[in-house]
C-alpha cells in the first residue's frame, strides 16, 4: 500500500514547476506549455513571486540560482549585490553602531535580483523581455488574492508605515486601511516600472538579447536608478536602531555592478554529487554537514528517531560554527574551503559527536586561519546590547510578530534543463517604498560585521555572506533540484530532507510531509545576531520517545506546532526522462505542477 501524503507527488515527462506560491508555479508551467524552457519559466515564476509574496522578496533584493543547462552544463548565477563604496566600518562606527541595523537605508547593498533574472533570461532563455515580464505586470496591475500572511504582516506594520514610512503606507495600506486576506491587491507602481523597462528594452531595437541588455541598463543607470537616488538624496529612514539614518548607496554603485556566472562548489555523498553556491552564501555548510555525516550509518537509524535527530543536529552545529568562522566573499578574502571539505578534516569533526548535546561553539582549527575561529567564539559570547527582535528574516519583529523568510522555486523542462533559485530581500519590511517604483530597497548588509579582519567584515564592494542556498544534485544521469526559504534554517531543512531521500527511500513528497527539525545553537545571520546555546526546534510527529530522549541528551528542545517548520520544494529528473515534483503543505500555499 502506498504511504499517504498530503498531496500527490507530481509525475510526468513534459515539465514540472514547483514554488512557494501556486500562482507563480502555474505561471511557470504556462511558459513551458508555450514552448519556453526551464530558464524562461524560472524567470517568469520568480518575477511573479515578487508580486504575490512581497513580504518575502522584491525586485531590489538578492538572487542566487543554481542550474544545469543541457548546452553548457552546471552553473551558478551570482546576483547578490555588494556593499556600496561608502559602506565602511569607520562610517558605521562613527554613527555609534555595534551592529548594522536589520532594516533601513544603512542595511542596503546594491540591488541584485532584477539583473540576475535578466542575465538568466538573456544567456539561457528563449522568450522575449515582454513575455517574461508580462505575468508579473498582469498580477501587479489587475490584482492577486492577498495571502493572509501578507495581510497580517501589513496590518502589524500599518501604524508604523503611517508614522515613519509614508511611501510604504501609500502602497501597502491604500486609502489608509490594511488589505483584507484574500481580497484583490494591486501594486500599480511595480506594474508601471516593469512596463517602462519593457518599453525601454523594445525601444532599443535589435534582437531579444539587445532588448534585455537595454532593460538592464535602464535599471542600473536609467529611470529606476534615477528614482532611487532622487529618493536617497534627502531620505532619513527610521530603522531598528530606533534612529533615522541616511543611506550610503550611490549612483556609481548601481551603474558599476552586474550579475555574473560562477562555478558551483561540489561534494560527493553516497553516489550523489551535490552542488551549491560558493561561501558568499551559506550553501557549503550543507556540503560540510554531509562530509561529517558520511562517517555515520544513517541508513540504520530511524529517520524520525532520537539517534538520527541528535546526530544530524550535532553535525549541523559543527558545520555552522565553521560557517560563522570562515565563510565570506571569496573575491575579497582567502577562504579555506578545500580544507573544510577534506576527508581528514571531517573525520576529525565527526569524532567530536558524542552521546550528549554539545553546548560549545566549536569551529575547526584550520592551519593559518585559527584567528578566525577564535574571533567567532568571542563574538558568539558577546552581548551587543540590542533588544531581541526575532531570529529569522525579515527582522521587524519589534513592530510585528509576523515573521517571514523568503521564496523558492525549482523548474525542470522536457529537455533536461534544471533551475533552482532562492530569491529574497527587498521585502516590504526592509525599507520604505521608493516613490514611483512600487518596491523598497533591501536590507542584506545586516549580515556584515563591524569589526576588521573577518571574511564577513563590512567593506566596499564585498558581498555579504547570505543565507540563500538553492541546491542541485546529480547521480547516474538523474538530476535533483531543491531548496527552501527559512534564513539560517535553509540548509538544515534541506539536509534533513535530502538524508531521508538518500538513506531511507522517502520520495519527494513523503520527505516534504515528514517532521522537520533545526538547531538555533550558532550565531544568527540576522540582526540582532542572537545565539541560543543548545536550543533546537522539532515538529511533534517524530517517533514516540524522541523528544524526551533528546532532552535527556541535553538538547534544549522547543516543540513546534504541527506543520509549521520548513517550506521545501523539489523537482527530480530521472535518467530516463521521467519527472517528478513536490511542495510542502505547510502554510498551504506552495504548489507543484507538471505533466
Amino acid at each position: 500500500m502506498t504511504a499517504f501524503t498530503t498531496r500527490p507527488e507530481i509525475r510526468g515527462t513534459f515539465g514540472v514547476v514547483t514554488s512557494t506560491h501556486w500562482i507563480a508555479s502555474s505561471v511557470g508551467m504556462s511558459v513551458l506549455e508555450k514552448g519556453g524552457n526551464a530558464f524562461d519559466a524560472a524567470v517568469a515564476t520568480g518575477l511573479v513571486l515578487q508580486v504575490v509574496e512581497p513580504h518575502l522578496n522584491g525586485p531590489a533584493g538578492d538572487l542566487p540560482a543554481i542550474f544545469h543547462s543541457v548546452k553548457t552544463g552546471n552553473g551558478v548565477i551570482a546576483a547578490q549585490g555588494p556593499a556600496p563604496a561608502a559602506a565602511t566600518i569607520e562610517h558605521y562606527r562613527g554613527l555609534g553602531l555595534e551592529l548594522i541595523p536589520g532594516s533601513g537605508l544603512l542595511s542596503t547593498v546594491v540591488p541584485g535580483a532584477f539583473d540576475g533574472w535578466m542575465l538568466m533570461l538573456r544567456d539561457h532563455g528563449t522568450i522575449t523581455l515582454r513575455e517574461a515580464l508580462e505575468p508579473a505586470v498582469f498580477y501587479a496591475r489587475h490584482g492577486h488574492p492577498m495571502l493572509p500572511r501578507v495581510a497580517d504582516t501589513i496590518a502589524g506594520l500599518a501604524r508604523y508605515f503611517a508614522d515613519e514610512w509614508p511611501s510604504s503606507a501609500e502602497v501597502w495600506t491604500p486609502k489608509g486601511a490594511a488589505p483584507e486576506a484574500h481580497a484583490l491587491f494591486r501594486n500599480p507602481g511595480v506594474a508601471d516600472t516593469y512596463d517602462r523597462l519593457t518599453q525601454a528594452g523594445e525601444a532599443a531595437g535589435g534582437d531579444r538579447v539587445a532588448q534585455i541588455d537595454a532593460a538592464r541598463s535602464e535599471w542600473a543607470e536609467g529611470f529606476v536608478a534615477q528614482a532611487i537616488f532622487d529618493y536617497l538624496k534627502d531620505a532619513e529612514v527610521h530603522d531598528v536602531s530606533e534612529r533615522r539614518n541616511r543611506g550610503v548607496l550611490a549612483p556609481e554603485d548601481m551603474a558599476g555592478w552586474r550579475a555574473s556566472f560562477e562555478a558551483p562548489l561540489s561534494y560527493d555523498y553516497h553516489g550523489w554529487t551535490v552542488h551549491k553556491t560558493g561561501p558568499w552564501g551559506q550553501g557549503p555548510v550543507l556540503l560540510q554537514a554531509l562530509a561529517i555525516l558520511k562517517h555515520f550509518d544513517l541508513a540504520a537509524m530511524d529517520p524520525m528517531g532520537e539517534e538520527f535527530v541528535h546526530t544530524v543536529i550535532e553535525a549541523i552545529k559543527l558545520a555552522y560554527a565553521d560557517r560563522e568562522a570562515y565563510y565570506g566573499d571569496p573575491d575579497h578574502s582567502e577562504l579555506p574551503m578545500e580544507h573544510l571539505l577534506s576527508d581528514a578534516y571531517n573525520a576529525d569533526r565527526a569524532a567530536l559527536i558524542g552521546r550528549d548535546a554539545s553546548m560549545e561553539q566549536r569551529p575547526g582549527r584550520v592551519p593559518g586561519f585559527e584567528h578566525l575561529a577564535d574571533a567567532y567564539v568571542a563574538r558568539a559570547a558577546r552581548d551587543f546590547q540590542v533588544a531581541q527582535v526575532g531570529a529569522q528574516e525579515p527582522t521587524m519583529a519589534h513592530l510585528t510578530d509576523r515573521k517571514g523568510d523568503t521564496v523558492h522555486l525549482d523548474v525542470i523542462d522536457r529537455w533536461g534543463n534544471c533551475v533552482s533559485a532562492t530569491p529574497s530581500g527587498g521585502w516590504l519590511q526592509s525599507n520604505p517604498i521608493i516613490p514611483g517604483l512600487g518596491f523598497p530597497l533591501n536590507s542584506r548588509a545586516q549580515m556584515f560585521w563591524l569589526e576588521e579582519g573577518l571574511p564577513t567584515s563590512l567593506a566596499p564592494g564585498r558581498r555579504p555572506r547570505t543565507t540563500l542556498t538553492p541546491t542541485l544534485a546529480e547521480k547516474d544521469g538523474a538530476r535533483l533540484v531543491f531548496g527552501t526559504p527559512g534564513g539560517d534554517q535553509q540548509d538544515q531543512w534541506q539536509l534533513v530532507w535530502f538524508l531521508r531521500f538518500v538513506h531511507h527511500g522517502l520520495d519527494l513528497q513523503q520527505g516534504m510531509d515528514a517532521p522537520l527539525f533545526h538547531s538555533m545553537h550558532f550565531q544568527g545571520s540576522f540582526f540582532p545576531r542572537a545565539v541560543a546555546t543548545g536550543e533546537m526546534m522539532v515538529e511533534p510527529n517524530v517517533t514516540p520517545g524522541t523528544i524526551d530522549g533528546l532532552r535527556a541528551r541535553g538538547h534544549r528542545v522547543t516543540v513546534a506546532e504541527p506543520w509549521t517548520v520548513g517550506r521545501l520544494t523539489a523537482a527530480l529528473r530521472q535518467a530516463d526522462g521521467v519527472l517528478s515534483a513536490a511542495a510542502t503543505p505547510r502554510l498551504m500555499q506552495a504548489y507543484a505542477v507538471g505533466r
Side-chain angles (χ1 to χ4, degrees):
M1 181 177 177
T2 302
F4 174 81
T5 55
T6 57
R7 53 185 70 178
E9 181 170 294
I10 302 300
R11 299 177 188 272
T13 55
F14 178 81
V16 289
V17 182
T18 181
S19 83
T20 50
H21 197 291
W22 67 90
I23 288 177
S25 297
S26 296
V27 164
M29 193 65 201
S30 75
V31 173
L32 295 182
E33 295 284 6
K34 294 172 185 174
N37 66 19
F39 301 100
D40 299 318
V43 172
T45 300
L47 296 175
V48 168
L49 285 171
Q50 297 172 356
V51 176
V52 298
E53 294 196 271
H55 61 318
L56 306 179
N57 77 134
D62 328 280
L63 172 67
I66 193 163
F67 64 86
H68 173 77
S69 165
V70 295
K71 294 180 180 178
T72 63
N74 300 332
V76 167
I77 288 183
Q80 173 55 61
T88 64
I89 291 176
E90 181 182 20
H91 175 73
Y92 283 61
R93 287 286 194 182
L95 298 172
L97 295 172
E98 295 289 318
L99 294 174
I100 297 175
S103 63
L105 298 179
L106 287 175
S107 65
T108 295
V109 299
V110 176
F114 178 77
D115 195 70
W117 287 126
M118 292 301 100
L119 178 63
M120 180 185 291
L121 182 68
R122 186 194 73 177
D123 286 16
H124 291 284
T126 65
I127 63 176
T128 66
L129 176 67
R130 179 174 292 277
E131 290 169 330
L133 290 170
E134 203 166 37
V137 170
F138 175 87
Y139 286 107
R141 190 171 304 287
H142 298 289
H144 56 92
M146 174 65 80
L147 289 169
R149 194 172 176 88
V150 186
D152 288 349
T153 299
I154 294 171
L157 289 164
R159 176 97 179 249
Y160 182 79
F161 286 165
D163 292 345
E164 296 289 352
W165 295 2
S167 59
S168 291
E170 184 178 347
V171 171
W172 304 121
T173 57
K175 300 180 181 178
E180 295 291 330
H182 306 304
L184 277 183
F185 183 83
R186 299 172 177 85
N187 188 337
V190 167
D192 291 345
T193 297
Y194 277 168
D195 263 344
R196 288 185 66 183
L197 287 167
T198 301
Q199 292 161 10
E202 292 176 343
D207 60 10
R208 60 180 294 280
V209 169
Q211 293 183 13
I212 294 167
D213 279 338
R216 296 174 75 191
S217 295
E218 192 66 30
W219 170 276
E221 303 172 71
F223 80 88
V224 173
Q226 186 65 52
I228 290 171
F229 295 109
D230 283 348
Y231 169 72
L232 292 180
K233 182 173 56 178
D234 300 313
E236 293 186 354
V237 168
H238 187 271
D239 58 43
V240 295
S241 71
E242 302 297 350
R243 296 184 302 189
R244 291 177 178 84
N245 289 300
R246 298 179 63 84
V248 296
L249 187 68
E252 297 79 14
D253 298 315
M254 278 189 69
W257 180 85
R258 295 294 186 275
S260 60
F261 292 103
E262 295 181 358
L265 195 63
S266 306
Y267 186 77
D268 292 333
Y269 181 81
H270 285 269
W272 288 88
T273 301
V274 184
H275 306 284
K276 301 291 285 186
T277 70
W280 53 270
Q282 73 174 348
V285 79
L286 186 144
L287 306 183
Q288 282 197 250
L290 292 175
I292 294 167
L293 291 167
K294 185 182 282 188
H295 298 276
F296 296 87
D297 187 4
L298 298 181
M301 300 179 189
D302 174 0
M304 317 300 166
E306 173 191 336
E307 185 180 12
F308 177 84
V309 176
H310 167 75
T311 303
V312 173
I313 283 286
E314 292 303 299
I316 285 168
K317 291 178 184 177
L318 294 169
Y320 273 74
D322 283 349
R323 181 196 77 168
E324 286 303 296
Y326 299 117
Y327 291 16
D329 187 347
D331 294 340
H332 283 250
S333 300
E334 183 183 359
L335 306 175
M337 296 313 301
E338 184 175 352
H339 186 90
L340 294 175
L341 291 173
S342 67
D343 289 341
Y345 177 79
N346 286 291
D348 290 341
R349 299 294 273 161
L352 295 174
I353 298 177
R355 183 200 172 278
D356 296 326
S358 171
M359 296 293 129
E360 299 178 71
Q361 301 291 341
R362 297 189 289 181
R365 308 291 293 179
V366 179
F369 295 85
E370 293 91 346
H371 63 291
L372 297 179
D374 294 337
Y376 168 54
V377 173
R379 197 164 60 244
R382 186 173 162 192
D383 183 355
F384 290 98
Q385 301 296 313
V386 294
Q388 173 68 32
V389 298
Q392 292 184 342
E393 57 182 83
T395 56
M396 298 290 282
H398 68 309
L399 304 173
T400 173
D401 63 0
R402 306 301 188 216
K403 298 188 186 76
D405 33 61
T406 182
V407 300
H408 185 79
L409 63 92
D410 300 297
V411 186
I412 306 178
D413 64 29
R414 63 187 185 270
W415 301 288
N417 297 300
C418 308
V419 179
S420 182
T422 312
S424 186
W427 44 69
L428 65 85
Q429 306 93 316
S430 62
N431 261 299
I433 292 283
I434 302 297
L437 296 183
F439 59 81
L441 295 171
N442 61 74
S443 55
R444 194 60 62 179
Q446 66 183 286
M447 295 180 167
F448 287 115
W449 291 104
L450 296 178
E451 55 186 277
E452 300 285 358
L454 307 175
T456 46
S457 299
L458 178 67
R462 175 177 280 168
R463 289 173 287 183
R465 195 277 300 149
T466 77
T467 55
L468 307 173
T469 175
T471 306
L472 166 69
E474 301 174 296
K475 180 182 181 182
D476 300 332
R479 289 190 177 87
L480 174 68
V481 283
F482 59 100
T484 179
D488 289 315
Q489 288 76 43
Q490 288 181 31
D491 276 312
Q492 300 191 63
W493 296 334
Q494 291 182 61
L495 174 68
V496 175
W497 179 87
F498 183 66
L499 291 171
R500 290 167 173 165
F501 174 80
V502 171
H503 293 295
H504 305 104
L506 274 67
D507 68 22
L508 304 190
Q509 192 62 51
Q510 288 171 334
M512 301 288 157
D513 292 354
L516 289 168
F517 55 87
H518 61 264
S519 172
M520 295 95 82
H521 174 77
F522 47 86
Q523 193 148 43
S525 298
F526 295 86
F527 184 93
R529 316 305 294 268
V531 175
T533 303
E535 293 189 22
M536 62 166 291
M537 181 173 286
V538 62
E539 290 184 306
N541 51 326
V542 288
T543 300
T546 294
I547 293 168
D548 289 342
L550 292 168
R551 286 173 172 155
R553 291 174 183 257
H555 296 280
R556 297 167 181 170
V557 182
T558 297
V559 181
E561 292 296 317
W563 302 104
T564 58
V565 174
R567 291 182 68 202
L568 287 152
T569 70
L572 172 67
R573 185 182 191 272
Q574 302 284 6
D576 61 2
V578 173
L579 306 176
S580 55
T584 182
R586 295 165 181 86
L587 299 187
M588 299 184 293
Q589 64 186 64
Y591 228 78
V593 294
R595 66 174 178 85

